[in-house]
Amino acid sequence: MEKDLARIALFAALIAILGLIPAITLGFGVPITAQSLGVMLAGAVLGSRQGGLAVLLFVFAAALGLPLLAGGRGGLGVFASPTVGFVVGFPVAAFVTGLVVEKLHRLPPGVNAGIGAFIGGIVVMYAFGTIGMAIVLNKSLTEAALLNSAFVLGDLLKAGLCGMLVAAIARLRPQMLPWYRAPVSHIFR
């Protein structure tokens, strides 16, 4: 139990640390940040339940006012900004990423993590982000989706990086991946 709590807190901290990497804010108020990579990694490494909880802890701390979001943002005002959909979608994205990784556990770990990061960290996160942006900016869903298209290439790269990092973890420290069932050949190395 303590180990699980420590892993959840560690990934919440990782997402906060990734927020220190300077963001590039686009003209419509949504920044390009490294934090979405942290969301993808939380789900891909910890699995659905723990990954979702880690990101929920991060969002809760940011909502309390801690300046954890990119650019030092935090507090309830974030939930009235164009980024609201992304922030609300973070825990769901991590959960779905982890769920996909768990369901595809028979695939090589880097492949299932990349697929999970794509489905959870891009498809799900963009669904939330587009809806939030449409509401806050008073745009149609199509207009908001077009605005979000600026993020696609970077997030595809993040999903690929997530897959590579999880593959490396599976090779070097498979016990860090609670969902991973290492092939017998890995056990006897």
Side-chain angles (χ1 to χ4, degrees), residues 24-66:
I24 301 167
T25 302
L26 302 179
F28 47 91
V30 178
I32 297 173
T33 75
Q35 288 184 308
S36 55
L37 173 61
V39 171
M40 293 174 189
L41 283 169
V45 171
L46 299 178
S48 59
R49 191 176 132 285
Q50 289 183 16
L53 288 172
V55 180
L56 189 61
L57 174 61
F58 168 80
V59 170
F60 180 70
L64 288 177
L66 294 175

Side-chain angles (χ1 to χ4, degrees), residues 18-177:
L18 288 171
L20 297 175
I21 296 172
I24 301 167
T25 302
L26 302 179
F28 47 91
V30 178
I32 297 173
T33 75
Q35 288 184 308
S36 55
L37 173 61
V39 171
M40 293 174 189
L41 283 169
V45 171
L46 299 178
S48 59
R49 191 176 132 285
Q50 289 183 16
L53 288 172
V55 180
L56 189 61
L57 174 61
F58 168 80
V59 170
F60 180 70
L64 288 177
L66 294 175
L68 301 179
L69 292 165
R73 295 173 306 122
L76 295 178
V78 170
F79 297 96
S81 75
T83 62
V84 63
F86 290 100
V87 175
V88 169
F90 275 3
V92 179
F95 180 85
V96 170
T97 299
L99 191 63
V100 170
V101 167
E102 291 163 357
K103 297 295 182 190
L104 299 179
H105 67 86
R106 290 192 187 341
L107 293 176
V111 173
N112 70 358
I115 293 169
F118 175 78
I119 294 171
I122 297 175
V123 175
V124 170
M125 198 176 317
Y126 277 55
F128 277 85
T130 299
I131 292 168
M133 191 182 296
I135 292 168
V136 172
L137 296 178
N138 198 24
K139 302 270 186 199
S140 71
L141 286 175
T142 303
E143 291 171 319
L146 286 173
L147 289 173
N148 279 334
S149 67
F151 302 104
V152 173
L153 181 58
D155 284 337
L156 287 171
L157 292 172
K158 291 175 203 172
L161 180 58
C162 177
M164 289 189 287
L165 290 170
V166 169
I169 292 169
R171 222 176 11 265
L172 300 172
R173 307 264 317 175
Q175 67 275 17
M176 288 182 61
L177 305 171

